[in-house]
PDB file of all heavy atoms in Angstrom:
ATOM      1  N   HIS A 129      66.466 153.906  76.206  1.00  0.00           N
ATOM      2  CA  HIS A 129      65.745 153.723  77.476  1.00  0.00           C
ATOM      3  C   HIS A 129      66.679 153.644  78.677  1.00  0.00           C
ATOM      4  O   HIS A 129      66.226 153.787  79.820  1.00  0.00           O
ATOM      5  CB  HIS A 129      64.876 152.460  77.426  1.00  0.00           C
ATOM      6  CG  HIS A 129      63.559 152.646  76.725  1.00  0.00           C
ATOM      7  ND1 HIS A 129      62.757 153.738  76.930  1.00  0.00           N
ATOM      8  CD2 HIS A 129      62.909 151.867  75.813  1.00  0.00           C
ATOM      9  CE1 HIS A 129      61.662 153.618  76.179  1.00  0.00           C
ATOM     10  NE2 HIS A 129      61.737 152.499  75.486  1.00  0.00           N
ATOM     11  N   LEU A 130      67.954 153.388  78.456  1.00  0.00           N
ATOM     12  CA  LEU A 130      68.897 153.422  79.583  1.00  0.00           C
ATOM     13  C   LEU A 130      68.939 154.819  80.184  1.00  0.00           C
ATOM     14  O   LEU A 130      69.264 155.006  81.356  1.00  0.00           O
ATOM     15  CB  LEU A 130      70.309 153.009  79.126  1.00  0.00           C
ATOM     16  CG  LEU A 130      70.497 151.555  78.683  1.00  0.00           C
ATOM     17  CD1 LEU A 130      71.847 151.389  77.976  1.00  0.00           C
ATOM     18  CD2 LEU A 130      70.392 150.592  79.866  1.00  0.00           C
ATOM     19  N   VAL A 131      68.607 155.809  79.341  1.00  0.00           N
ATOM     20  CA  VAL A 131      68.634 157.214  79.772  1.00  0.00           C
ATOM     21  C   VAL A 131      67.218 157.726  80.049  1.00  0.00           C
ATOM     22  O   VAL A 131      66.971 158.379  81.055  1.00  0.00           O
ATOM     23  CB  VAL A 131      69.320 158.098  78.697  1.00  0.00           C
ATOM     24  CG1 VAL A 131      69.295 159.570  79.111  1.00  0.00           C
ATOM     25  CG2 VAL A 131      70.747 157.620  78.452  1.00  0.00           C
ATOM     26  N   GLN A 132      66.302 157.420  79.142  1.00  0.00           N
ATOM     27  CA  GLN A 132      64.918 157.897  79.253  1.00  0.00           C
ATOM     28  C   GLN A 132      63.988 156.694  79.338  1.00  0.00           C
ATOM     29  O   GLN A 132      63.733 156.042  78.327  1.00  0.00           O
ATOM     30  CB  GLN A 132      64.549 158.724  78.009  1.00  0.00           C
ATOM     31  CG  GLN A 132      65.281 160.032  77.856  1.00  0.00           C
ATOM     32  CD  GLN A 132      64.805 161.092  78.826  1.00  0.00           C
ATOM     33  OE1 GLN A 132      63.672 161.041  79.292  1.00  0.00           O
ATOM     34  NE2 GLN A 132      65.671 162.037  79.154  1.00  0.00           N
ATOM     35  N   MET A 133      63.491 156.414  80.535  1.00  0.00           N
ATOM     36  CA  MET A 133      62.647 155.222  80.695  1.00  0.00           C
ATOM     37  C   MET A 133      61.183 155.571  80.411  1.00  0.00           C
ATOM     38  O   MET A 133      60.304 155.359  81.249  1.00  0.00           O
ATOM     39  CB  MET A 133      62.827 154.669  82.107  1.00  0.00           C
ATOM     40  CG  MET A 133      62.396 153.207  82.260  1.00  0.00           C
ATOM     41  SD  MET A 133      63.191 152.158  81.044  1.00  0.00           S
ATOM     42  CE  MET A 133      61.977 150.874  80.853  1.00  0.00           C
ATOM     43  N   ASN A 134      60.943 156.104  79.241  1.00  0.00           N
ATOM     44  CA  ASN A 134      59.588 156.535  78.869  1.00  0.00           C
ATOM     45  C   ASN A 134      59.575 156.710  77.355  1.00  0.00           C
ATOM     46  O   ASN A 134      60.587 156.447  76.696  1.00  0.00           O
ATOM     47  CB  ASN A 134      59.264 157.876  79.547  1.00  0.00           C
ATOM     48  CG  ASN A 134      60.391 158.883  79.327  1.00  0.00           C
ATOM     49  OD1 ASN A 134      60.800 159.126  78.194  1.00  0.00           O
ATOM     50  ND2 ASN A 134      60.915 159.454  80.405  1.00  0.00           N
ATOM     51  N   HIS A 135      58.464 157.147  76.813  1.00  0.00           N
ATOM     52  CA  HIS A 135      58.429 157.452  75.382  1.00  0.00           C
ATOM     53  C   HIS A 135      58.120 158.939  75.179  1.00  0.00           C
ATOM     54  O   HIS A 135      57.265 159.322  74.378  1.00  0.00           O
ATOM     55  CB  HIS A 135      57.413 156.552  74.658  1.00  0.00           C
ATOM     56  CG  HIS A 135      57.853 155.114  74.565  1.00  0.00           C
ATOM     57  ND1 HIS A 135      57.149 154.073  75.100  1.00  0.00           N
ATOM     58  CD2 HIS A 135      58.965 154.560  74.020  1.00  0.00           C
ATOM     59  CE1 HIS A 135      57.810 152.932  74.875  1.00  0.00           C
ATOM     60  NE2 HIS A 135      58.911 153.202  74.230  1.00  0.00           N
ATOM     61  N   SER A 136      58.824 159.751  75.927  1.00  0.00           N
ATOM     62  CA  SER A 136      58.647 161.203  75.831  1.00  0.00           C
ATOM     63  C   SER A 136      59.344 161.734  74.571  1.00  0.00           C
ATOM     64  O   SER A 136      60.071 160.997  73.893  1.00  0.00           O
ATOM     65  CB  SER A 136      59.273 161.865  77.059  1.00  0.00           C
ATOM     66  OG  SER A 136      60.661 161.561  77.091  1.00  0.00           O
ATOM     67  N   LYS A 137      59.133 163.017  74.306  1.00  0.00           N
ATOM     68  CA  LYS A 137      59.818 163.631  73.163  1.00  0.00           C
ATOM     69  C   LYS A 137      61.331 163.531  73.339  1.00  0.00           C
ATOM     70  O   LYS A 137      62.061 163.279  72.385  1.00  0.00           O
ATOM     71  CB  LYS A 137      59.391 165.085  73.001  1.00  0.00           C
ATOM     72  CG  LYS A 137      60.066 165.741  71.811  1.00  0.00           C
ATOM     73  CD  LYS A 137      59.524 167.098  71.467  1.00  0.00           C
ATOM     74  CE  LYS A 137      60.108 167.655  70.169  1.00  0.00           C
ATOM     75  NZ  LYS A 137      61.542 167.480  69.987  1.00  0.00           N
ATOM     76  N   LYS A 138      61.789 163.710  74.582  1.00  0.00           N
ATOM     77  CA  LYS A 138      63.231 163.581  74.854  1.00  0.00           C
ATOM     78  C   LYS A 138      63.739 162.197  74.457  1.00  0.00           C
ATOM     79  O   LYS A 138      64.839 162.046  73.927  1.00  0.00           O
ATOM     80  CB  LYS A 138      63.507 163.796  76.353  1.00  0.00           C
ATOM     81  CG  LYS A 138      63.754 165.227  76.750  1.00  0.00           C
ATOM     82  CD  LYS A 138      64.169 165.279  78.221  1.00  0.00           C
ATOM     83  CE  LYS A 138      64.436 166.708  78.631  1.00  0.00           C
ATOM     84  NZ  LYS A 138      64.586 166.819  80.093  1.00  0.00           N
ATOM     85  N   PHE A 139      62.912 161.189  74.797  1.00  0.00           N
ATOM     86  CA  PHE A 139      63.300 159.824  74.439  1.00  0.00           C
ATOM     87  C   PHE A 139      63.456 159.687  72.927  1.00  0.00           C
ATOM     88  O   PHE A 139      64.474 159.199  72.428  1.00  0.00           O
ATOM     89  CB  PHE A 139      62.276 158.797  74.942  1.00  0.00           C
ATOM     90  CG  PHE A 139      62.469 157.442  74.309  1.00  0.00           C
ATOM     91  CD1 PHE A 139      63.422 156.567  74.808  1.00  0.00           C
ATOM     92  CD2 PHE A 139      61.754 157.074  73.178  1.00  0.00           C
ATOM     93  CE1 PHE A 139      63.652 155.332  74.193  1.00  0.00           C
ATOM     94  CE2 PHE A 139      61.976 155.841  72.559  1.00  0.00           C
ATOM     95  CZ  PHE A 139      62.917 154.983  73.074  1.00  0.00           C
ATOM     96  N   TRP A 140      62.429 160.110  72.177  1.00  0.00           N
ATOM     97  CA  TRP A 140      62.464 159.919  70.712  1.00  0.00           C
ATOM     98  C   TRP A 140      63.584 160.727  70.070  1.00  0.00           C
ATOM     99  O   TRP A 140      64.209 160.272  69.109  1.00  0.00           O
ATOM    100  CB  TRP A 140      61.101 160.256  70.097  1.00  0.00           C
ATOM    101  CG  TRP A 140      60.053 159.237  70.445  1.00  0.00           C
ATOM    102  CD1 TRP A 140      58.949 159.430  71.225  1.00  0.00           C
ATOM    103  CD2 TRP A 140      60.024 157.849  70.054  1.00  0.00           C
ATOM    104  NE1 TRP A 140      58.239 158.250  71.340  1.00  0.00           N
ATOM    105  CE2 TRP A 140      58.869 157.266  70.632  1.00  0.00           C
ATOM    106  CE3 TRP A 140      60.865 157.038  69.283  1.00  0.00           C
ATOM    107  CZ2 TRP A 140      58.532 155.919  70.463  1.00  0.00           C
ATOM    108  CZ3 TRP A 140      60.529 155.696  69.103  1.00  0.00           C
ATOM    109  CH2 TRP A 140      59.383 155.157  69.688  1.00  0.00           C
ATOM    110  N   ASP A 141      63.843 161.929  70.622  1.00  0.00           N
ATOM    111  CA  ASP A 141      64.957 162.716  70.085  1.00  0.00           C
ATOM    112  C   ASP A 141      66.279 161.977  70.271  1.00  0.00           C
ATOM    113  O   ASP A 141      67.126 161.942  69.374  1.00  0.00           O
ATOM    114  CB  ASP A 141      65.032 164.091  70.783  1.00  0.00           C
ATOM    115  CG  ASP A 141      63.897 165.011  70.339  1.00  0.00           C
ATOM    116  OD1 ASP A 141      63.206 164.675  69.347  1.00  0.00           O
ATOM    117  OD2 ASP A 141      63.687 166.054  70.993  1.00  0.00           O
ATOM    118  N   LEU A 142      66.444 161.373  71.463  1.00  0.00           N
ATOM    119  CA  LEU A 142      67.679 160.636  71.735  1.00  0.00           C
ATOM    120  C   LEU A 142      67.774 159.404  70.835  1.00  0.00           C
ATOM    121  O   LEU A 142      68.821 159.141  70.229  1.00  0.00           O
ATOM    122  CB  LEU A 142      67.716 160.227  73.216  1.00  0.00           C
ATOM    123  CG  LEU A 142      68.925 159.389  73.652  1.00  0.00           C
ATOM    124  CD1 LEU A 142      70.238 160.146  73.419  1.00  0.00           C
ATOM    125  CD2 LEU A 142      68.794 158.993  75.128  1.00  0.00           C
ATOM    126  N   CYS A 143      66.665 158.688  70.736  1.00  0.00           N
ATOM    127  CA  CYS A 143      66.622 157.482  69.899  1.00  0.00           C
ATOM    128  C   CYS A 143      66.991 157.834  68.452  1.00  0.00           C
ATOM    129  O   CYS A 143      67.738 157.108  67.790  1.00  0.00           O
ATOM    130  CB  CYS A 143      65.230 156.866  69.980  1.00  0.00           C
ATOM    131  SG  CYS A 143      65.058 155.320  69.099  1.00  0.00           S
ATOM    132  N   ASP A 144      66.504 158.970  67.994  1.00  0.00           N
ATOM    133  CA  ASP A 144      66.762 159.420  66.623  1.00  0.00           C
ATOM    134  C   ASP A 144      68.251 159.696  66.414  1.00  0.00           C
ATOM    135  O   ASP A 144      68.796 159.410  65.346  1.00  0.00           O
ATOM    136  CB  ASP A 144      65.926 160.685  66.349  1.00  0.00           C
ATOM    137  CG  ASP A 144      65.719 160.913  64.859  1.00  0.00           C
ATOM    138  OD1 ASP A 144      66.029 159.995  64.063  1.00  0.00           O
ATOM    139  OD2 ASP A 144      65.244 162.004  64.497  1.00  0.00           O
TER     140      ASP A 144
END
Side-chain angles (χ1 to χ4, degrees):
H129 279 316
L130 293 167
V131 177
Q132 293 286 335
M133 200 53 209
N134 50 53
H135 289 120
S136 61
K137 181 171 187 317
K138 271 186 179 169
F139 166 82
W140 290 113
D141 288 348
L142 177 60
C143 184
D144 201 11

